Amino acid sequence: MALPAHASPGEKVWHYTYLVICGFIFLFLIAPIIIIIPLSFNVEPYFTFTSKMMAFDPEGYSLRWYDKILTFGMANPDVPRDSAWWDDVWQNATWFHAMKNSAIIGVASTVLATSLGTLAALGLSRPEMPFRRAIMGLLISPMIVPLIITATGLFFFYSATGLAHSYAGIILAHAMLGIPFVIITVTATLVGFDHSLTRAAASLGAPPMTTFRKVILPLILPGVISGALFAFVTSFDEIVVVLFVASYDQQTIPLQMWNGIREQISPTILAVATILVIFSITLLTAIELLRRRSERLRGVSAA
Amino acid sequence: MTVSAADSIDPGVPLVTPDGRPLKLALAQATRRARIRAFALVVPLLLFVLVTFAFPIGQMLYLSIHNPVFSDHMPRLTAYLTEHPDVQVPGEEGFAALALDLADAKKNRTAGRIGTRVNYERPGSNSLFKSSARKAAKFKGPPYKEKLLEIRSDWGEPHLWNVMRRASAQHTLDFYAAALDLTHDENGDLSQVSPERRIYVRLFWRTLFLSAVIAFLCLLLGYPVAHLLATLPLRYSNLLMILVLLPFWTSLLVRTTSWIALMQSQGVINDILVTLGIVGDDGRVQMMYNQFGTIIAMTHILLPFMILPLYSVMKTIPPSYVRAARSLGATPLTAFIKVYFPQTTPGIGAGILLVFILAIGYYITPALVGGSSGQLISNQIAFHMQKSLNWSLAAALGAILLFMVILLYWVYDRLVGVDKMKLG
């Protein structure tokens, strides 16, 4: 993209204008996410920068909203902070309740989606697979069909079967929503998979399970893990289904944020959002490392 | 007849495997076995998705044409109306069925539900049913027609009886009619509802329009960025790619919250404008709780879905094509329009469709930043599910939305192929 030496002045002007435009678009993409980080340290209950914050006065900043994440919903927030206090946080704090639910539902639905999805992706990427396109279309569709429709359908289905207001119901629903991502990432890893490797393993006497564990799995593992991460994030971020079929007991972090925004919006939401941004940066780094490893394994080296 | 495999190939003799089976048959069997094995791997997931996804949606679609509230709770009147299909306002026999059913409804506390069902098509019926049921429970005996007409003269209205007759059918397309702002008028013919109640068709158009605007804005913003990412050396583009992927990986609610913090009237953008003196403190710009808020927040949220498909197409275009065009005398603009742009159309198609499909079903963001003018059809579905409890209408609206999405999905599959979809 470097400008050649013979570029005319007009071209040079356009080139730099173009770079500036791109800079603004990147700013549009990233600024809203970054801006909430300093705002979450605001000492005042506002959603904007106070004059003290602009002057970088330490008095303008505080951790009170992070403290609020711990204390909100506690039985006795004002007693000395000993082990009993922390116990109270773990048992009663609203955000901790939501976090535990999100973790349980996220992990369980990820395990379900990843195991079923990987198995199916193995079948789908075999050349002999019948009705491949139609089945693939059906399996991807939970990602395409609007969540409100899926949630409406699940609401009726769960009311009839007694799965409403249960962990099992939400886990099944979230697994279903995560499956398209697992299918897409694992089949992508299986593109260009050398099937003579499995035939070689079989001809050397390995039973199918051993072939899978020793030959196939190590090669597709990066795809499986990144699919699992996608499935986890899908569950961790999902709110519409939870809104329709969960009770207070299954309240997750997004649902708690939703309630927070709709009722009394306080900077606690921004503090939680900041923690979630840091969480997604961690996940993104993990995905990026996996992608590089996968490319190295498959011999598609990225310069 | 056995022929050894060592025999020289004779076109008249069929080829066989060492154990004597015809080769063609053995091959067909092996292929079938391989197909079954591949299919068996997919079966568990297929069943899972059918049960947790396809079946519930099928159930919802059924609910959009099936509403047994009236026939379940007004059995005598339903039977009477089925037996006398031509009667407009019935005589004593029909009113007797009505009065006895109303009395039962009072006993079973179902008068409200029945009234609500009739109220969908004839406003004011809810109170009519409730009050009449209360009084019908005290009737000692006939004449029912006279007594009911005494309570409310509405019971003699042919329109009400038309509405009840249609409500008594378990299977009905009336909810689709309602979802398209149609109703049955006094004569029983389909006609548009009164102008102030025509909301759904307009809402569908608004949803399509806003989705198109958002898809176009995403293209406008995504194209230059994707081009930059595709042409920069890999070590820079990988870094910049993180800026695209981070929003993609950040929780939807976090991004919506950020836009609230930025756009609300006491928020960051307004404060900056006031500080710079562009607007006065009393003239803060209303950027949120309207269509503008929905468009901006959703464009931001869906932009990565445009950049990624564009990027993967642009990545495959050799830079030498544009250089060749330039060396043959094309101006930069001509080279772009005639050579580069046409090669990116598959990516544009994929990105536009993906963003459009995701946008028309959006619920959370419009609900939080859209106010009333920025609501989409999903918000109305949620309203009927959670507030008005008109589930059949919610299901009918959902079915229409689903039909639109499936149509677009089908186009996407023809154009791009669902198996070509990539993430990150």
Side-chain angles (χ1 to χ4, degrees), chain A residues 24-291:
Chain A
F24 274 113
I25 299 171
F26 278 117
L27 191 71
F28 172 72
L29 269 170
I30 212 75
I33 295 170
I34 300 303
I35 202 108
I36 54 171
I37 297 177
L39 279 179
S40 71
F41 294 101
N42 195 343
V43 78
E44 305 289 343
Y46 304 138
F47 266 39
T48 186
F49 293 101
T50 56
S51 49
K52 275 188 179 164
M53 291 183 94
M54 299 305 279
F56 294 104
D57 182 345
E59 276 180 28
Y61 295 84
S62 85
L63 288 171
R64 66 182 275 207
W65 305 113
Y66 290 85
D67 195 57
K68 193 92 183 163
I69 297 178
L70 299 176
T71 55
F72 184 61
M74 272 176 73
N76 298 305
D78 299 325
V79 296
R81 303 200 165 186
D82 50 16
S83 66
W85 187 86
W86 283 104
D87 205 40
D88 192 4
V89 170
W90 182 251
Q91 297 291 339
N92 297 322
T94 311
W95 287 105
F96 271 73
H97 174 68
M99 189 193 71
K100 282 185 276 186
N101 279 332
S102 278
I104 294 169
I105 293 167
V107 169
S109 60
T110 302
V111 170
L112 194 59
T114 312
S115 43
L116 286 174
T118 306
L119 207 61
L122 285 173
L124 282 170
S125 54
R126 291 203 180 183
E128 315 84 62
M129 181 65 201
F131 316 113
R132 192 168 174 281
R133 211 176 163 119
I135 291 178
M136 192 88 169
L138 175 69
L139 295 180
I140 304 286
S141 54
M143 191 168 99
I144 294 297
V145 169
L147 275 171
I148 191 92
I149 293 177
T150 315
T152 304
L154 285 171
F155 175 81
F156 297 130
F157 180 56
Y158 282 2
S159 314
T161 52
L163 277 167
H165 307 321
S166 74
Y167 282 97
I170 299 174
I171 289 170
L172 289 178
H174 280 187
M176 173 263 287
L177 292 173
I179 276 165
F181 296 98
V182 179
I183 299 265
I184 290 174
T185 50
V186 179
T187 44
T189 331
L190 281 165
V191 169
F193 181 81
D194 190 355
H195 283 280
S196 56
L197 291 174
T198 55
R199 281 198 289 275
S203 79
L204 291 168
M209 257 329 271
T210 315
T211 313
F212 176 73
R213 268 193 310 120
K214 297 272 181 183
V215 180
I216 302 177
L217 194 58
L219 282 169
I220 63 168
L221 197 59
V224 174
I225 295 178
S226 82
L229 283 174
F230 269 107
F232 182 78
V233 168
T234 307
S235 163
F236 203 72
D237 197 18
E238 203 288 320
I239 166 159
V240 187
V241 171
V242 180
L243 208 56
F244 273 59
V245 305
S247 67
Y248 174 78
D249 283 339
Q250 291 95 40
Q251 184 127 309
T252 58
I253 292 179
L255 188 60
Q256 180 61 35
M257 288 186 80
W258 164 267
N259 290 337
I261 295 172
R262 297 212 112 186
E263 288 154 18
Q264 186 46 57
I265 184 154
S266 94
T268 316
I269 301 277
L270 297 182
V272 175
T274 304
I275 295 173
L276 289 181
V277 168
I278 291 165
F279 182 68
S280 25
I281 292 175
T282 319
L283 278 181
L284 179 61
T285 319
I287 290 271
E288 181 62 20
L289 292 177
L290 280 170
R291 195 182 58 80

Side-chain angles (χ1 to χ4, degrees), chain B residues 84 209 248 308 323 332 348 373 388:
Chain B
H84 303 85
F209 171 73
F248 189 71
L308 294 176
R323 279 207 293 271
I348 295 177
S373 68
S388 83

Side-chain angles (χ1 to χ4, degrees), chain A residues 18 21-22 25, chain B residues 212-226 299 303 306-307 310 348 352:
Chain A
Y18 169 69
I21 293 173
C22 283
I25 299 171
Chain B
V213 169
I214 289 162
F216 176 74
L217 279 177
C218 282
L219 178 64
L220 207 64
L221 297 178
Y223 200 91
V225 166
T299 303
L303 187 51
M306 177 66 82
I307 296 179
L310 274 177
I348 295 177
I352 290 257

